[in-house]
Amino acid sequence: EDLACFRDIKPGAPHHYLVVPVEHMGNCKTLKTEHIPLVKRMMEVGKAVLRTNNFSDLNDIRMGFHCPPFCSISHLHLHVLAPASQLGFLSRLYYRINSYWFIT
């Protein structure tokens, strides 16, 4: 369809996936209100991939976007990490909820 999902090459958690629109989009700063359905679908795909990979505790996940200039690529991608309770020290910093570099 219009979204792809794959494992992160440098996982920050036992389950770490990226959900990416097939059509190029800049980054989270380019999102507008009309993109809300897209972001919701990205989140649903992330949850579905977790369930497919036998992870069912959706209360122990973290999803979000890195903000520029903290993006390694300039294509919108949603990080899906689980279990959030098993994030290491550096991952807790790197994927910190609603920090100025990672927004949920």
Side-chain angles (χ1 to χ4, degrees):
E1 291 188 24
D2 60 341
L3 297 174
C5 183
F6 48 90
R7 287 187 177 273
D8 193 294
I9 60 171
K10 295 181 182 175
H15 295 273
H16 188 167
Y17 306 99
L18 301 176
V19 180
V20 182
V22 173
E23 184 178 319
H24 178 71
M25 294 189 70
N27 58 52
C28 62
K29 293 289 187 176
T30 63
L31 292 172
K32 297 182 168 81
T33 52
E34 64 259 23
H35 295 117
I36 291 172
L38 170 68
V39 172
K40 286 183 177 182
R41 278 196 331 272
M42 291 172 78
M43 293 173 65
E44 287 307 314
V45 166
K47 290 175 185 176
V49 168
L50 288 172
R51 285 190 294 268
T52 299
N53 286 282
N54 299 316
F55 186 83
S56 59
D57 185 2
L58 298 181
N59 293 315
D60 194 16
I61 64 175
R62 184 159 307 164
M63 292 192 207
F65 301 98
H66 278 113
C67 298
F70 303 100
C71 302
S72 57
I73 59 169
S74 62
H75 185 95
L76 186 70
H77 56 286
L78 175 71
H79 288 267
V80 179
L81 300 111
S85 60
Q86 291 184 24
L87 291 171
F89 176 75
L90 288 178
S91 291
R92 285 183 192 274
L93 290 175
Y94 201 62
Y95 303 102
R96 185 173 168 196
I97 297 173
N98 294 326
S99 58
Y100 65 89
W101 60 86
F102 187 73
I103 58 171
T104 55

